[in-house]
Amino acid sequence: MDHISTLPHALLVEILSRLTLKEAARTSILSVTWVDLWKFVPNLDFDVPKMRQCIWENYWNSGDMEPVLFERWRYIEWVNRVLTHYQGRKVNNFHACFNIHNESNANGDIDRWLDFAISKRVQKLKLDFDRYGDTSWDASGCYIFSERCFKHMKTPEGLSDIRYLQSLCLAFVDVSDEILEHFLCNCPLLEKLAVQHSHGLVRFEVAAGLSSPLPLKHLEVVHCKNLKEIEIDAPNLTYFKLDGRFPDGIDLRMENISSLTGLDLYNMIDPGPVFLPRAKFARLETLTFMFDARKAKFPRSIEELTSLKQLTVYVLGSDRNEIRGLLPVINACPSLYQLSVRMDTDEEKDSSCRIWGGSEMEEMHRESIKVVEVSGFAGSAATYTGRWFLDYALRNFVTLEKLILDSRTCTSTGRIFNAPRVQAEVAVACIQMLKSRLPSTVELVIPVS
């Protein structure tokens, strides 16, 4: 007896929604009851990361573009076929992810996907047209949000449909200031907004001029190279990430952000001032920022971050500069629990990055810091960091409980690279010297490469 097939239709659809789209479609062969069930699944996730990885690994190894173009065509046909057969009244999640550039003549297809998702009153919409493993910041050839789609969203029907949107993530989708403003002003349930690699974005306002505050809690702006201004007035915002190159600087104004607990600033500004916006961060608990060791200029005064528990600092480049400016940042965090320093040095350029000022550094006894982590602890970076920073930490972080030394380099995108053998051997030697000076109360952790 097939008891499962006797369950209510809605419950069977709920079961299928826990599967991938392709797995759900395969259940159509089970019996007559299951033939059309997959056509009602509310979660349409068209992401196939393993296939994308395989395709691009083959391309990088062979240089043959034909298989990529063929798989791109298959992907577009797959999405179109599913949408043609779909019978559900609404869509909770719509996620399209593949490398689709303008030259593939896919803009018309993507327009129809967008129309479909909005007409089904989608709650979570994600369009990601990046190439797997491509770290290029050039968004040329990415999908351009069409004027026709935008006009439809301004009609009474379109306005009614987008009101249900809760999460919007656009990667390698070129959008204008006006389009994002339209979403922000007309999506009263929008809690997450992420925009990546959009060259059309120049001036970005969040909640400026709105009659009531947005429920927006999560905001990411990544590699939008033409961006000049960001104005944020969002009392419900809990996380903000800004990442990209801004050669001419960027005007970031943040106010009424009393709920903000996480702030990531991966921006690299030439000539290299460390970018800490002047705002009140009463509840900020985690802060991440990066600076170029060759050019860094820290602000003289830093607003005290009374609630900060975790500080992560990415050190780019390598030089013999002594950068004392990081000490006031730490000093402005009286409740700091974990300090992570992530080095990114180049041995070929005589890397010897010293992020502390040696014997002339001001002593700063701190009882709150319990965990210190250093990644990129290899080569001459390990030598200098071991000599200066760790000595300083052991003298001043008097209640330190754990020290993590990782020879691998961890990038801001989360990618991890093993150190070359010679550099790793230097790290091992530094660690052996350090062990003799390490108090018994401090646990030494060395992650395995």
Side-chain angles (χ1 to χ4, degrees):
M1 178 68 69
D2 181 8
H3 294 289
I4 295 180
S5 296
T6 63
L7 294 173
H9 179 275
L11 184 55
L12 292 176
V13 171
E14 176 63 25
I15 293 173
L16 290 186
S17 68
R18 308 301 176 93
L19 305 177
T20 67
L21 265 178
K22 292 188 175 182
E23 290 171 341
R26 291 190 188 111
T27 63
S28 62
I29 66 172
L30 296 178
S31 69
V32 175
T33 303
W34 293 81
V35 169
D36 292 324
L37 279 177
W38 70 272
K39 301 175 184 178
F40 294 86
V41 173
N43 299 321
L44 300 180
D45 187 348
F46 296 99
D47 189 10
V48 279
K50 289 185 179 180
M51 183 181 75
R52 289 189 293 119
Q53 179 180 3
C54 181
I55 291 170
W56 284 103
E57 283 181 352
N58 291 337
Y59 169 70
W60 296 127
N61 291 331
S62 66
D64 186 3
M65 192 67 181
E66 287 301 319
V68 176
L69 297 176
F70 177 71
E71 292 299 335
R72 180 185 295 167
W73 172 82
R74 286 186 60 197
Y75 180 87
I76 294 171
E77 289 297 306
W78 172 45
V79 177
N80 289 339
R81 185 167 59 253
V82 171
L83 301 192
T84 299
H85 290 90
Y86 191 78
Q87 298 179 22
R89 296 179 58 186
K90 67 174 185 177
V91 171
N92 293 338
N93 305 317
F94 186 95
H95 180 189
C97 181
F98 208 76
N99 167 234
I100 303 176
H101 277 15
N102 282 345
E103 62 267 26
S104 67
N105 298 318
N107 280 359
D109 295 288
I110 299 175
D111 288 348
R112 287 188 290 273
W113 301 350
L114 192 55
D115 286 341
F116 170 88
I118 292 175
S119 68
K120 295 296 183 179
R121 298 186 169 181
V122 64
Q123 297 176 12
K124 297 181 180 180
L125 175 61
K126 183 175 182 179
L127 303 178
D128 184 353
F129 301 131
D130 188 10
R131 292 186 292 180
Y132 185 90
D134 185 1
T135 58
S136 170
W137 291 0
D138 183 13
S140 60
C142 69
Y143 168 69
I144 300 175
F145 202 101
S146 75
E147 186 64 26
R148 185 191 62 78
C149 290
F150 184 37
K151 286 182 179 179
H152 171 70
M153 290 196 307
K154 292 189 285 187
T155 65
E157 180 183 2
L159 287 170
S160 176
D161 290 339
I162 66 173
R163 289 179 59 83
Y164 294 86
L165 198 61
Q166 299 175 13
S167 173
L168 176 63
C169 301
L170 304 174
F172 284 81
V173 175
D174 210 358
V175 291
S176 65
D177 307 340
E178 185 182 6
I179 292 174
L180 281 189
E181 182 181 356
H182 183 77
F183 277 113
L184 288 168
C185 292
N186 295 285
C187 300
L189 304 177
L190 190 65
E191 293 188 351
K192 179 178 180 179
L193 175 62
V195 183
Q196 301 181 21
H197 295 271
S198 174
H199 288 182
L201 200 59
V202 178
R203 189 173 186 274
F204 184 35
E205 295 183 4
V206 177
L210 295 181
S211 57
S212 59
L214 274 174
L216 192 67
K217 296 180 179 180
H218 185 111
L219 176 63
E220 296 183 28
V221 182
V222 177
H223 299 325
C224 299
K225 70 174 188 178
N226 294 323
L227 190 61
K228 305 298 182 186
E229 298 179 39
I230 301 181
E231 182 177 347
I232 300 176
D233 184 345
N236 296 307
L237 191 67
T238 59
Y239 175 77
F240 174 52
K241 176 181 179 179
L242 176 64
D243 187 356
R245 291 186 182 275
F246 304 102
D248 300 324
I250 185 170
D251 183 9
L252 173 59
R253 298 188 296 275
M254 304 177 71
E255 58 184 50
N256 198 14
I257 50 170
S258 57
S259 299
L260 194 70
T261 58
L263 177 62
D264 291 347
L265 299 172
Y266 296 112
N267 51 316
M268 287 155 280
I269 309 173
D270 201 15
V274 175
F275 190 56
L276 298 174
R278 295 184 176 276
K280 297 289 184 180
F281 299 109
R283 297 185 182 179
L284 192 66
E285 296 181 357
T286 63
L287 170 63
T288 301
F289 68 90
M290 62 169 53
F291 66 91
D292 191 326
R294 296 161 293 191
K295 307 173 182 178
K297 299 176 183 177
F298 285 82
R300 292 185 177 180
S301 61
I302 298 173
E303 194 77 34
E304 190 171 68
L305 305 171
T306 56
S307 300
L308 197 73
K309 300 293 190 300
Q310 181 168 338
L311 175 63
T312 302
V313 183
Y314 285 85
V315 184
L316 301 178
S318 57
D319 204 319
R320 295 184 180 273
N321 291 334
E322 296 176 352
I323 303 174
R324 300 180 180 87
L326 194 54
L327 290 178
V329 178
I330 299 174
N331 202 33
C333 309
S335 303
L336 188 64
Y337 178 85
Q338 178 168 337
L339 171 63
S340 298
V341 178
R342 304 200 167 168
M343 313 289 291
D344 180 13
T345 58
D346 186 347
E347 203 74 9
E348 295 181 358
K349 296 181 180 178
D350 186 27
S351 67
S352 51
C353 181
R354 291 192 308 194
I355 58 174
W356 311 89
S359 60
E360 299 179 4
M361 289 189 299
E362 176 185 357
E363 297 296 302
M364 181 182 60
H365 293 282
R366 296 294 303 277
E367 296 185 356
S368 64
I369 300 177
K370 307 294 185 183
V371 180
V372 171
E373 175 191 14
V374 181
S375 64
F377 188 81
S380 58
T383 303
Y384 281 91
T385 304
R387 182 180 176 184
W388 302 109
F389 171 46
L390 296 180
D391 281 349
Y392 181 89
L394 292 176
R395 287 199 314 272
N396 289 274
F397 305 158
V398 294
T399 59
L400 187 66
E401 297 176 356
K402 181 182 291 187
L403 177 61
I404 305 170
L405 299 179
D406 193 344
S407 63
R408 300 171 300 177
T409 298
C410 181
T411 69
S412 61
T413 60
R415 304 178 74 179
I416 297 176
F417 300 94
N418 290 328
R421 183 179 59 83
V422 174
Q423 296 185 32
E425 290 175 352
V426 173
V428 171
C430 290
I431 290 173
Q432 292 300 322
M433 291 172 37
L434 177 67
K435 283 182 178 179
S436 61
R437 306 197 308 272
L438 200 65
S440 59
T441 55
V442 179
E443 177 189 2
L444 178 62
V445 178
I446 305 172
V448 179
S449 300

